[in-house]
């Protein structure tokens, strides 16, 4: 199956995790775009969505799905999002689309995180995909120097401003053998908003399109 066909298939499989009359947490990216299109087929059976990016908000609204502010809701049943890398422990790297901070916030509110990927995203160890780090603009050079001390090669993502008005450093060549420790260490640097390791709150379920089937990891 072509990669886009896999993304579509896994996105459609995620609909089984959406309960009627609930507000759905919705991530960001090309796999999630297929999910939003699939969610539109059951839009009359859900209350609406909370979105992790301006791009997903726009797509949800274009389908007539009501988008709520996160501060308006006290809980979410599920959060459905893609990933750039995922391990067998359901730890992820996210943020290829620069939406990592809002993704982490919405995921924190949800009872379950359903990660939807194709098999190109499965890895034994996180770190081949450059780790996105969202940084307050004035701290960019300081944080870059600290990331070098941690063994990484940070590259400023030119021309990208996040939905929160910040910049992204993509950190190459990190072997993330202890994701929880690395996630906390980077988040503790002054000026870091958050980094794209999702291990302290990983996925609860990974749905992975592989060949012609959808595999479920719990
Ligand atoms: C955006 C993300 C995405 O989930 C991640 O980049 C995967 O995207 P895609 O489904 O397009 O491969 O974290 O910030």
């Amino acid at each position: 199956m072509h990669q886009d066909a896999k993304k579509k298939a896994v996105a459609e499989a995620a609909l089984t995790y959406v309960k009627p009359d609930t507000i759905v947490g919705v991530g960001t990216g090309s796999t999630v775009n297929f999910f939003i299109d699939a969610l539109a087929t059951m839009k009359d059976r859900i209350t609406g969505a909370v979105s992790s990016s301006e791009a997903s908000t726009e797509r949800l609204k274009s389908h007539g799905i009501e988008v709520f502010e996160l501060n308006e809701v006290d809980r979410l049943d599920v959060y459905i999002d893609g990933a750039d890398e995922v391990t067998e422990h359901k730890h992820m790297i996210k943020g290829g689309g620069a939406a990592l901070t809002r993704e982490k916030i919405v995921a924190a509110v949800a009872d379950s995180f359903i990660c939807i990927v194709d098999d190109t995203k499965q890895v034994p160890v996180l770190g081949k995909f450059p780790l996105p780090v969202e940084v307050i603009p004035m701290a960019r050079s300081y944080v870059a120097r600290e990331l070098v001390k941690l063994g990484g090669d940070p590259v400023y993502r030119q021309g990208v401003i996040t939905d929160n008005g910040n910049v992204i450093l993509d950190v190459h060549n990190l072997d993330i053998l202890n994701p929880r420790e690395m996630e906390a260490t980077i988040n503790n640097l002054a000026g870091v908003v958050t980094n794209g390791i999702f291990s302290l709150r990983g996925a609860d379920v990974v749905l992975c399109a592989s060949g012609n089937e959808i595999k479920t990891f719990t």
Side-chain angles (χ1 to χ4, degrees), residues 3 7 27-34 52-53 79-85 92-101 103 113 115-118 120-121 129 132 157 168 196 198:
Q3 194 178 8
K7 289 181 181 189
T28 299
S30 56
T31 313
V32 164
N33 282 344
F34 285 116
S52 65
S53 64
Y79 176 65
I80 296 175
D81 200 357
D84 299 300
E85 286 185 347
M92 296 160 281
I93 284 184
K94 294 184 44 53
L100 61 162
T101 298
E103 290 172 345
F113 186 141
C115 174
I116 51 174
V117 289
D118 61 78
T120 63
K121 309 292 185 69
F129 188 91
R157 203 184 293 183
I168 298 284
F198 282 57

Side-chain angles (χ1 to χ4, degrees), residues 28-211:
T28 299
S30 56
T31 313
V32 164
N33 282 344
F34 285 116
F35 173 70
I36 293 172
D37 297 347
L39 191 63
T41 65
M42 57 178 292
K43 70 178 177 189
D44 297 333
R45 283 179 278 146
I46 59 169
T47 306
V50 166
S51 163
S52 65
S53 64
E54 301 297 339
S56 289
T57 296
E58 202 177 301
R59 196 174 186 101
L60 286 158
K61 285 184 173 169
S62 76
H63 282 298
I65 297 172
E66 186 169 358
V67 179
F68 293 84
E69 291 295 327
L70 185 61
N71 286 319
E72 293 179 273
V73 307
D74 42 23
R75 65 173 288 276
L76 292 169
D77 193 52
V78 285
Y79 176 65
I80 296 175
D81 200 357
D84 299 300
E85 286 185 347
V86 60
T87 68
E88 63 175 317
H89 303 294
K90 300 189 284 290
H91 298 155
M92 296 160 281
I93 284 184
K94 294 184 44 53
L100 61 162
T101 298
R102 293 190 187 192
E103 290 172 345
K104 211 173 260 196
I105 295 168
V106 183
V109 175
D111 292 344
S112 319
F113 186 141
I114 315 298
C115 174
I116 51 174
V117 289
D118 61 78
D119 50 8
T120 63
K121 309 292 185 69
Q122 288 185 304
V123 294
V125 177
L126 297 177
K128 201 164 194 170
F129 188 91
L131 175 67
V133 181
E134 180 164 351
V135 179
I136 303 281
M138 71 171 285
R140 174 166 58 90
S141 298
Y142 164 70
V143 170
R145 289 193 294 275
E146 294 301 307
L147 291 168
V148 169
K149 288 182 197 164
L150 292 174
D153 296 319
V155 175
Y156 175 34
R157 203 184 293 183
Q158 295 280 349
V160 172
I161 300 290
T162 70
D163 287 348
N164 315 305
N166 299 312
V167 297
I168 298 284
L169 294 172
D170 291 306
V171 192
H172 296 247
N173 302 322
L174 279 179
D175 263 343
I176 306 173
L177 298 171
N178 187 336
R180 287 194 176 92
E181 189 178 275
M182 185 67 88
E183 181 177 356
T185 300
I186 296 176
N187 281 350
N188 271 337
L189 298 173
V192 168
V193 180
T194 199
N195 74 83
I197 302 175
F198 282 57
S199 61
L200 296 169
R201 199 280 181 256
D204 298 293
V205 177
V206 176
L207 300 179
C208 179
S210 179

